[in-house]
Amino acid sequence: MSEFWIYFQIGLKHVLDINAYDHVLFLIALTVPYTFKDWKRILLLVSVFTIGHTVALILSVFGIIAVKVNLVEFLIPITILITALYHLFTAGKATKNDGVNLIFFVTLFFGIIHGLGFSNYFKTILGGSASSKLIPLGEFALGIETAQLVVVFVVLVISYIVQTVFRFSKRDWALVMSAFIVGVVIPMIIESPIWNR
């Protein structure tokens, strides 16, 4: 049980690390247009993201895929920017909320990119053969999923307060937060090590 707790905590800290806020930014960008009544869709989106993240770690641990760190560190803020821009331009527009659509596939792909960003570190903290790393990977994924749900819950609470107490419309809230995220992520892209060639 203590080994479970170790990898579970690593998953929690991976998302909730104040110095690595890109994960939180992505979650905010992903969930900003939703409210508590959309909880099933949000849970599905977050879980799809976790699945993508875990698939990337599995592919990396088994040596199936290897990506340059600079490229991944560049792509992560790009995924945040695309998500924020999507919600910026679709704020207030009616969308079909049922079924699996393009957003779920894009979220899965973005989860893979974010997972690749953590894969090198994850491989260094796990010893042994690749097959012995599957259980710790699952424990880590549970930690990630739990931390992501905490972040999403906080975003939804803030969204509720802003929309009920301060009388922001759902559209205005999505516009303001998406624009804020774009403003935060553009410097991350500009300062990316990929430009230093």
Side-chain angles (χ1 to χ4, degrees):
M1 184 61 145
S2 62
E3 191 172 305
F4 167 81
W5 186 244
I6 289 169
Y7 292 110
F8 182 82
Q9 279 188 316
I10 292 171
L12 284 175
K13 289 176 183 173
H14 171 61
V15 175
L16 301 176
D17 182 2
I18 194 77
N19 297 316
Y21 56 89
D22 55 342
H23 209 120
V24 172
L25 271 179
F26 179 79
L27 291 170
I28 295 169
L30 186 66
T31 59
V32 78
Y34 301 110
T35 60
F36 279 111
K37 70 179 172 116
D38 303 310
W39 69 270
K40 288 180 185 174
R41 184 173 179 84
I42 296 167
L43 180 62
L44 188 57
L45 278 169
V46 169
S47 297
V48 164
F49 183 78
T50 303
I51 289 167
H53 198 280
T54 305
V55 164
L57 292 177
I58 290 170
L59 293 174
S60 177
V61 163
F62 282 94
I64 297 169
I65 191 169
V67 180
K68 292 183 179 182
V69 176
N70 284 356
L71 177 61
V72 174
E73 293 302 320
F74 172 72
L75 290 176
I76 288 173
I78 294 291
T79 65
I80 301 166
L81 179 66
I82 291 169
T83 306
L85 286 173
Y86 174 78
H87 291 300
L88 187 66
F89 290 112
T90 60
K93 294 181 180 167
T95 58
K96 190 174 180 182
N97 283 338
D98 51 353
V100 176
N101 59 23
L102 182 62
I103 291 180
F104 289 95
F105 291 110
V106 170
T107 303
L108 179 69
F109 179 67
F110 287 178
I112 292 170
I113 292 172
H114 283 248
L116 289 173
F118 192 69
S119 62
N120 287 335
Y121 173 73
F122 194 76
K123 284 192 290 189
T124 63
I125 62 172
L126 286 179
S129 67
S131 59
S132 69
K133 297 176 184 179
L134 286 176
I135 291 175
L137 262 166
E139 297 162 348
F140 174 76
L142 284 174
I144 292 247
E145 182 77 359
T146 302
Q148 290 181 155
L149 292 175
V150 167
V151 170
V152 166
F153 181 76
V154 170
V155 171
L156 290 175
V157 167
I158 293 169
S159 174
Y160 177 79
I161 291 168
V162 167
Q163 291 178 48
T164 56
V165 175
F166 298 105
R167 303 287 184 201
F168 269 61
S169 70
K170 186 177 173 182
R171 177 185 172 274
D172 289 347
W173 169 248
L175 283 172
V176 168
M177 287 307 296
S178 297
F180 169 77
I181 292 166
V182 168
V184 170
V185 83
I186 286 177
M188 292 170 66
I189 294 168
I190 293 169
E191 294 166 8
S192 173
I194 202 165
W195 306 115
N196 301 331
R197 288 190 165 217

